Structure formats: structure tokens, C-alpha cells
Amino acid sequence: MAVYLILTLLVLTLALPVRKKQVNNKRLLAVYQGMTRQDAVNMIAILMIFTALFAVSALRLNVGNDYAKYVEFMHLVFSHAYVPTEAGFNAVTYVIYYLCGFENYILVFAVFAFFTIFFFMKALWQQSEHFTYSFMMFMLLGYYFQSISTVRYYLALGIALYSVKFVLKGDWPGFILLILLGALFHKSILVVLPLYFLASLPWKKWMMLLGGAFCLSCLFLQDLYLKIVVFLYPSYKDTEYLTGGTSIVNIVRCTAILLFSLYMYRDCIKGNRTYSFYFWCNNMALALYLFGSFLPIISRIGYYLTVTHILFVPALIFKVKDDKKRQFIILAGIVACLLYFAMYMRGAANDGVRILPYQTFLFHEMPMTLSERGY
């Protein structure tokens, strides 16, 4: 755990001096004045953050819930055997193995780590109004550490977060193409096509009533909806993945953000396309956790909505006009994230996470996989 604690402290410290330049949109003519001192600080700090995050991910060995399973899948891909993983994952694996001349799974994990961190960092830098606070939430809410545990899904999640910029600009072709690219690595990302579209709509009262009726129908038509899910995802049939479940922590988190956003609704959200999108992502996530607990892998669907919290919450916090209230909310948010981080790390060695103990190929050997053992 010392590796993760040192890493978290290091990157959060590096993020403190990062400041985004405020662009004056009222000026008709902008003159390029070269790189400022703050630009240089930003570039160096973000590069160092990226390097530190990538190094810990890329140097790991047999760390993460899916690591050994993926090593087996990669072997089967290179052997031209059947695997349940998507075409993009299979293609990247095969090309790397072919070019290396041996089963270099360490390099495959490093490539996925690079692009996962790249999409998250790019999204935070371009879309967050307060990079430091958003990055703090990214680290303490476990998004980075879960990317070590669940490789393909968190690459898709990073792509989904980055795709929000296309939704907000109304660039639907670009959004769809990016999501289809993500689906080559984890098909669950396809759920954001309808979800993000719904969140981008200017919701009317009749739409809210229709949404409420659909939520209530989930109490009586669960079998029908499960059949639809199995039809769309036949690989879930007769597996343990067909069991549902929900998260009290996520319900509390979404409820707290809903209450805070209602408090700020008139000042910030009303009439603002960006904040309205985040607002409805949170509302749909809360409805999903409350009424969709019977759905398989509900957390994976919900995370595509709640990942926008790391953009939405800082935007609202720093719009609070009263200085004392703003400082109190900033501190309360940090404390809540620290508590979540402590709770997450407490279970970091459990099945389903397994990012502890941290091991690296520099000092450890990979245990034999199923194909090597033969049983």
C-alpha cells in the first residue's frame, strides 16, 4: 500500500500549482504572446503526473482483478483460439505479440495503461473548470486504481468521459465514432449512446413524468427487462453476471450531489447546457441505483454516468458566491473523498479489486496460468 499512498501524495502535490488559463472570449482579436511561466508549470506538472501514474501501472505484475485472466486470454488470442474479449483488444494483443516475437503481456498492459491515463488526463485538462480539484477526485474516488484492476472497462470509461466534449458541442458524428472505437475494447460503452443523448436534452415536465413512470415500471416488469438485457448481451445468460445489486455508497453520493445541485440550480445549472448535462447524468445514475438494482453489472452502467461527477462537482463548488460557504464545501468535499479513499484501500486486497499487494516484474515472477498448468 505504501506505493499507492506515496504515488497519491506525489501526484496530488504536483497538481496543486496547475492553473488553467482563463480565455477572454470578449476579445475580437487574440494575439499569441508565447508560452507563459504558468504554461510551463502546467506542462511540466502534468507530464510528471502522467509519468508517475503510467510507471506504477506499467511496471505492475499480476496486480489487479483481471491480470492473470487477461494473460490467459492473450495467450489464446495469439494461439488463434476463441476468446470472449472484443476485437480491438484481440488485435492490439496479437500485433504486439507478433512484433515482439514472444508473448509480451507486460507491454500489452503498458499500452492499455498509457491510453487509459491519456484519455482521463486529457478529459480532465480540457473539460474541467478546476483541474486540481477534479484530479483530486479522480485519484481519491479510485478511478485510477480501478483502472489497474479492470483494464478494458476503464479504457472505455476514459473514452466515455472524453467523449462528453463532443456531446456538449453537438458533434454527434464525432461522439458516435469515438464510442464505436471504445466498443472495440469493451462493448458496455455502447450504453452511453442513449444515456448521454438523454442527458443532453432540455428536459420538460412530461419527460420527467415519463421517466418517473419508467422507473416505477422497474418494480413490476423486472423479468421483462432482464429478458431484453439478455437479448442485447447474450453472454450474460446463465452466468453469475446476471445477478444484480446496488451500492449504498453510490446512492448517498448521487443524493448529496443532487441536493447540492438543486441548491445551485438557479445560479448555475438553469440555462447552462454543460451543467444541465452533468445534472441529468447524476439524476439518471441515482434512478438507476434506486430502481435498477436487478440489472446485471449495474455498477458498470452507473459509472458511465457518475464519472461526470469529477467535472460537475468542482464546477459547482467554485461557483458558490459566499466565501465562507465555498471554503466549507471545498473542505467537506475533500474530507468525503478521503473517507472514500480510505474505505476503498481497506478492501483493495479483496477479490474483485486485488490491487494489493503491489508487485512489479522488476522483482517478481508471474505465476503459471491455466494453459501453462494444464488444469
Side-chain angles (χ1 to χ4, degrees):
M1 186 180 291
V3 173
Y4 297 141
L5 294 179
I6 292 171
L7 174 68
T8 302
L9 183 61
L10 172 64
V11 295
L12 290 181
T13 302
L14 288 170
L16 288 175
V18 175
R19 298 286 185 276
K20 291 184 68 173
K21 184 184 296 184
Q22 298 297 321
V23 179
N24 186 359
N25 294 323
K26 296 181 180 179
R27 294 182 59 182
L28 298 178
L29 181 63
V31 179
Y32 177 70
Q33 298 178 340
M35 179 179 288
T36 65
R37 180 180 297 178
Q38 186 61 56
D39 292 333
V41 169
N42 293 344
M43 183 176 66
I44 294 170
I46 290 176
L47 181 60
M48 292 177 68
I49 289 170
F50 183 92
T51 302
L53 295 179
F54 173 69
V56 170
S57 291
L59 294 176
R60 77 188 192 276
L61 181 75
N62 198 28
V63 176
N65 190 58
D66 295 337
Y67 197 100
K69 181 172 68 175
Y70 278 139
V71 172
E72 176 69 12
F73 285 164
M74 293 174 198
H75 168 74
L76 295 176
V77 167
F78 198 53
S79 303
H80 301 284
Y82 169 77
V83 288
T85 46
E86 288 80 1
F89 174 83
N90 300 342
V92 170
T93 297
Y94 190 85
V95 168
I96 291 176
Y97 276 23
Y98 180 80
L99 292 177
C100 292
F102 66 100
E103 298 189 7
N104 193 349
Y105 52 83
I106 291 173
L107 181 57
V108 176
F109 280 110
V111 168
F112 274 88
F114 179 91
F115 284 103
T116 301
I117 299 168
F118 172 81
F119 278 111
F120 272 112
M121 292 293 292
K122 194 171 181 65
L124 290 178
W125 176 248
Q126 291 186 350
Q127 297 163 231
S128 175
E129 295 185 18
H130 196 280
F131 174 83
T132 302
Y133 206 92
S134 290
F135 182 72
M136 179 271 296
M137 294 181 68
F138 168 71
M139 291 299 297
L140 297 186
L141 293 181
Y143 289 106
Y144 167 73
F145 297 104
Q146 274 298 108
S147 73
I148 294 176
S149 178
T150 314
V151 177
R152 288 164 39 245
Y153 173 73
Y154 270 80
L155 172 61
L157 188 64
I159 292 173
L161 182 63
Y162 180 66
S163 74
V164 168
K165 65 179 290 186
F166 295 95
V167 175
L168 298 177
K169 290 192 300 182
D171 184 1
W172 295 107
F175 167 67
I176 293 171
L177 287 174
L178 190 59
I179 297 306
L180 292 178
L181 173 66
L184 293 175
F185 299 94
H186 205 287
K187 63 184 178 182
S188 68
I189 195 176
L190 293 174
V191 301
V192 308
L193 291 174
L195 291 178
Y196 284 5
F197 173 73
L198 289 173
S200 70
L201 295 176
W203 280 66
K204 308 296 183 182
K205 289 183 179 179
W206 67 267
M207 297 170 67
M208 298 180 197
L209 291 174
L210 189 62
F214 177 75
C215 289
L216 291 176
S217 73
C218 291
L219 301 176
F220 309 101
L221 301 175
Q222 293 184 7
D223 292 339
L224 174 62
Y225 293 149
L226 272 177
K227 289 180 181 178
I228 295 173
V229 170
V230 171
F231 175 76
L232 295 174
Y233 292 92
S235 59
Y236 288 162
K237 187 176 181 180
D238 300 326
T239 68
E240 71 275 13
Y241 297 117
L242 203 56
T243 58
T246 191
S247 169
I248 299 299
V249 173
N250 282 325
I251 291 174
V252 171
R253 174 175 153 188
C254 290
T255 302
I257 292 174
L258 173 60
L259 295 174
F260 181 42
S261 58
L262 289 175
Y263 171 73
M264 298 292 293
Y265 188 85
R266 219 174 255 185
D267 293 335
C268 298
I269 300 172
K270 188 177 182 180
N272 187 303
R273 177 181 171 85
T274 300
Y275 296 167
S276 178
F277 174 83
Y278 299 150
F279 177 72
W280 285 108
C281 279
N282 181 70
N283 292 347
M284 287 192 294
L286 180 58
L288 185 67
Y289 287 126
L290 289 174
F291 297 98
S293 60
F294 64 95
L295 294 172
I297 318 182
I298 184 178
S299 61
R300 288 189 171 181
I301 303 172
Y303 284 170
Y304 284 120
L305 296 168
T306 59
V307 71
T308 60
H309 288 171
I310 63 180
L311 304 176
F312 187 35
V313 172
L316 289 185
I317 288 177
F318 289 92
K319 290 292 191 301
V320 176
K321 296 178 180 178
D322 186 276
D323 290 339
K324 290 185 178 179
K325 288 182 180 179
R326 184 172 62 253
Q327 295 300 323
F328 173 78
I329 297 172
I330 289 173
L331 182 60
I334 293 173
V335 170
C337 289
L338 285 171
L339 290 174
Y340 186 94
F341 181 71
M343 182 176 62
Y344 176 80
M345 282 300 170
R346 186 180 179 183
N350 297 343
D351 290 339
V353 183
R354 260 206 76 246
I355 62 171
L356 286 176
Y358 181 79
Q359 295 179 335
T360 169
F361 66 83
L362 299 175
F363 307 111
H364 301 89
E365 295 291 336
M366 180 69 190
M368 288 191 297
T369 61
L370 179 61
S371 296
E372 293 171 324
R373 294 196 308 268
Y375 58 89

